[in-house]
Amino acid sequence: MSYLNQHRFAMQLAQLSRAWRAELDRRLSGMGLSQARWLVLLHLARFETRAGKWPTQRELAESVAVEGPTLARLLDTLEAQGLVSRQAVAEDRRAKRIVLNPVAVPLIEQIEAISSQLRQELFDGIDPEELRLCQQVHARILANLEKR
């Protein structure tokens, strides 16, 4: 692949990511959540489902790819809204587990429904084989990044 094609692909990928998140943020704006907050809620909900336990604040920060102090401020707001709670970790008094409160579940379901609708719209007309090939390319790029 030529340098120009690689450059175009990288720019297009970055533009796609920004535009996708901006459109989702626009659709979720009526829920009173910033992009950062709904992203934390989704990561938290998926983390609990995946791992079968609630993450520590550090694990959640890694999952969301934000610095600890940034996540702490987001969690302060989410906690004030009653959506999450911090619980002490018995093995490490300095660590806190982040627990999704039941009141957040309908909100997350609404976020997921809006997100699913957007995905359906964005993938309209895309052949499943084209999507599979694109996923393979992305997986190889991610693997190359992880080697670094």
Side-chain angles (χ1 to χ4, degrees):
M1 180 183 276
S2 74
Y3 169 79
L4 185 57
N5 285 340
Q6 290 172 346
H7 179 73
R8 284 181 182 155
F9 181 86
M11 295 300 290
Q12 200 174 43
L13 188 59
Q15 182 182 12
L16 172 64
S17 178
R18 280 191 306 273
W20 190 316
R21 285 178 70 169
E23 177 58 20
L24 185 55
D25 197 41
R26 185 188 69 74
R27 292 182 185 207
L28 295 174
S29 64
M31 299 175 72
L33 293 172
S34 67
Q35 184 178 107
R37 284 187 231 139
W38 61 253
L39 194 59
V40 167
L41 289 174
L42 284 179
H43 275 260
L44 185 56
R46 291 178 180 145
F47 197 108
E48 193 278 332
T49 301
R50 253 192 346 259
K53 65 177 178 126
W54 297 110
T56 63
Q57 193 163 322
R58 175 175 286 177
E59 291 168 336
L60 184 58
E62 289 173 7
S63 175
V64 179
V66 297
E67 296 295 322
T70 301
L71 180 64
R73 286 189 300 276
L74 291 167
L75 291 174
D76 287 343
T77 304
L78 292 170
E79 196 168 32
Q81 291 177 301
L83 300 172
V84 302
S85 301
R86 292 174 170 117
Q87 295 180 351
V89 175
E91 311 85 58
D92 183 353
R93 293 187 342 191
R94 296 170 298 165
K96 300 284 185 203
R97 289 214 182 275
I98 309 305
V99 176
L100 196 60
N101 290 339
V103 69
V105 173
L107 190 61
I108 290 169
E109 289 171 350
Q110 191 176 2
I111 293 167
E112 291 281 9
I114 292 168
S115 177
S116 179
Q117 176 63 37
L118 177 59
R119 275 193 310 276
Q120 287 177 345
E121 292 172 23
L122 296 178
F123 285 106
D124 185 43
I126 296 183
D127 182 82
E129 181 60 18
E130 290 175 316
L131 184 58
R132 189 186 65 72
L133 288 171
C134 190
Q135 288 173 304
Q136 285 179 335
V137 170
H138 289 166
R140 291 200 344 231
I141 292 170
L142 284 171
N144 289 339
L145 279 169
E146 290 172 0
K147 289 180 189 175
R148 310 234 174 281

